[in-house]
């Protein structure tokens, strides 16, 4: 099966080469030249939400190939280490798009390996919020729609500068995607505004910007560091907070087990729901918007 596909593919290749060859003989050398120098602009993204943004911003721009590092299940990069596959992708990269704000712990290694590689920092000029304990800046800018819009604008502007041949198309794609995100934000604001319960508990600190944007109060997070289970004391503290603030909904994330949340729910009578910070998902340009629409439904059901 595979061989047949391959054969078909090479046959098409031969026909194209033959056709261009003929044209060359007939006095159109420029066209042959153009094809020889076909553009190959590999843009590597570090993180799923940036990948979705970049797919939208580069829509139908010739020769652009967008690759996301990690596996489809990678999610947040809090202590992510580059794999050999990532290194290979980085070798091919013409441009690297990163979240910044401390999301990528490996940027020094990339810079050592590819000092010439232009890096687009999607979070530049964005006002960053601190984590709940005030220690570090919170990197989950893309989880609020406003943050995502700012990141899309940053990436769009920098791609225009780095690939000026298609400046106008980058500009138009960016404007179009920003418009869709603005419509999403307006719908979410409208539908979330009347919900009576505003106190929530989330799994990790992914929803800080989101809560600020839509006026929710995160009274506790279950795991201070994603992937590190809370101690017995931390768990008891969270249970107390859930009771004191009469929290009705605990929000797990599809990327992590809800085991600890289920335990809190048993102690407090609160219910467990799943809210998606859009750090994994399908490789489709509308994925961010669709996942956020699902989050909207979940919040409406949970906080009624
Ligand atoms: Zn995270």
């Amino acid at each position: 099966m595979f061989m047949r596909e391959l054969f078909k593919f090479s046959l098409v290749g031969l026909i194209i080469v033959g056709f261009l060859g003929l044209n060359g003989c007939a006095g159109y050398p420029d066209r042959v030249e153009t094809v020889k120098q076909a553009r190959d602009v590999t843009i590597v993204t570090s993180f799923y939400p940036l990948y979705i943004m970049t797919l939208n911003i580069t829509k139908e721009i010739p020769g652009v190939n967008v690759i996301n590092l990690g596996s489809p299940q990678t999610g947040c990069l809090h202590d992510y280490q580059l794999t050999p596959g990532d290194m290979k992708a980085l070798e091919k990269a013409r441009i690297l798009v990163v979240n910044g704000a401390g999301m990528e712990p490996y940027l020094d290694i990339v810079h050592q390996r590819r000092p010439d590689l232009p890096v687009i920092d999607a979070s530049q000029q964005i006002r960053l919020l601190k984590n709940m304990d005030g220690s570090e800046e919170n990197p989950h800018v893309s989880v609020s729609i406003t943050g995502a819009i700012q990141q899309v604008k940053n990436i769009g502007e920098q791609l225009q500068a780095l690939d000026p041949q298609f400046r106008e198309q980058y500009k138009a794609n960016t404007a179009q995607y920003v418009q869709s995100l603005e419509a999403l934000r307006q719908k979410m604001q409208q539908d979330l505004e009347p919900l009576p319960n505003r106190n929530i508990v989330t799994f990790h600190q992914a929803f800080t910007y989101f809560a600020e944007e839509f006026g929710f109060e995160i009274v506790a997070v279950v795991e201070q560091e994603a992937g590190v289970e809370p101690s017995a004391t931390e768990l008891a503290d969270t249970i107390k907070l859930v009771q004191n603030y009469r929290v009705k909904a605990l929000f797990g994330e599809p990327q992590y087990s809800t085991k600890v949340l289920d335990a809190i729910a048993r102690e407090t009578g609160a219910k467990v729901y799943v809210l998606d910070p859009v750090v994994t998902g399908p490789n489709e340009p509308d994925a961010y918007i669709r996942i956020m629409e699902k989050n909207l439904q979940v919040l409406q059901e949970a906080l009624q």
Side-chain angles (χ1 to χ4, degrees):
M1 187 66 190
F2 176 67
M3 281 308 288
R4 248 173 67 190
E5 287 302 314
L6 200 67
F7 177 68
K8 251 195 312 201
F9 182 70
S10 8
L11 201 65
V12 171
L14 277 173
I15 291 165
I16 291 170
V17 169
F19 178 65
L20 291 169
L22 262 174
N23 268 343
C25 296
Y28 300 105
D30 287 349
R31 278 192 60 191
V32 178
E33 197 57 28
T34 313
V35 170
K36 270 188 198 156
Q37 292 178 353
R39 272 164 52 88
D40 175 18
V41 180
T42 297
I43 303 176
V44 171
T45 57
S46 65
F47 184 38
Y48 178 73
L50 305 171
Y51 172 74
I52 297 300
M53 292 174 194
T54 307
L55 283 186
N56 282 283
I57 298 166
T58 60
K59 192 179 74 182
E60 288 169 17
I61 295 182
V64 170
N65 176 29
V66 187
I67 302 174
N68 193 38
L69 296 179
S71 79
Q73 280 80 39
T74 298
C76 281
L77 306 175
H78 299 299
D79 36 39
Y80 185 75
Q81 288 181 347
L82 293 170
T83 65
D86 293 340
M87 292 317 277
K88 234 185 237 169
L90 285 164
E91 290 306 320
K92 278 195 290 189
R94 279 269 311 276
I95 297 165
L96 173 65
V97 181
V98 301
N99 182 76
M103 181 60 93
E104 295 84 3
Y106 51 71
L107 285 182
D108 286 351
I109 301 171
V110 175
H111 188 66
Q112 274 168 18
R113 288 283 194 105
R114 292 282 317 269
D116 58 320
L117 179 65
V119 178
I120 295 179
D121 177 348
S123 300
Q124 67 172 17
Q125 318 261 359
I126 293 177
R127 180 181 62 93
L128 298 175
L129 299 174
K130 295 265 187 203
N131 275 337
M132 279 172 99
D133 59 3
S135 60
E136 285 168 34
E137 276 161 345
N138 188 306
H140 301 92
V141 175
S142 64
V143 187
S144 85
I145 318 300
T146 301
I149 290 172
Q150 287 171 308
Q151 289 193 317
V152 167
K153 286 180 177 170
N154 277 340
I155 299 168
E157 268 169 32
Q158 293 182 65
L159 283 177
Q160 284 177 52
L162 288 166
D163 191 13
Q165 190 188 345
F166 290 94
R167 187 186 295 270
E168 289 311 313
Q169 212 161 330
Y170 284 115
K171 214 171 168 177
N173 287 346
T174 302
Q176 195 186 24
Y177 191 45
V178 164
Q179 211 173 35
S180 315
L181 290 170
E182 282 171 350
L184 171 72
R185 180 174 60 187
Q186 201 188 354
K187 178 170 177 35
M188 289 182 78
Q189 257 156 0
Q190 240 165 39
D191 293 356
L192 292 175
E193 212 258 331
L195 296 179
N197 293 309
R198 313 303 295 189
N199 293 339
I200 62 172
V201 167
T202 66
F203 183 73
H204 87 294
Q205 313 210 26
F207 290 91
T208 311
Y209 295 88
F210 183 92
E212 192 199 50
E213 173 160 51
F214 296 115
F216 293 110
E217 188 69 41
I218 300 175
V219 303
V221 294
V222 172
E223 292 193 357
Q224 288 301 328
E225 262 182 76
V228 182
E229 276 200 21
S231 67
T233 321
E234 284 170 335
L235 190 58
D237 286 347
T238 304
I239 289 171
K240 241 180 254 157
L241 285 167
V242 169
Q243 288 164 336
N244 291 347
Y245 284 89
R246 294 173 206 234
V247 173
K248 292 207 162 56
L250 313 171
F251 293 102
E253 296 170 23
Q255 294 81 16
Y256 297 96
S257 150
T258 59
K259 198 180 74 180
V260 182
L261 290 160
D262 293 335
I264 300 169
R266 278 196 297 274
E267 289 290 318
T268 60
K271 271 182 81 176
V272 178
Y273 299 87
V274 174
L275 206 53
D276 193 332
V278 205
V279 292
T280 56
N283 293 346
E284 289 155 19
D286 65 344
Y288 179 91
I289 290 176
R290 274 196 289 121
I291 293 171
M292 279 297 174
E293 282 169 346
K294 180 84 203 310
N295 283 339
L296 171 60
Q297 284 174 9
V298 171
L299 287 164
Q300 281 179 306
E301 188 199 331
L303 303 174
Q304 230 9 288

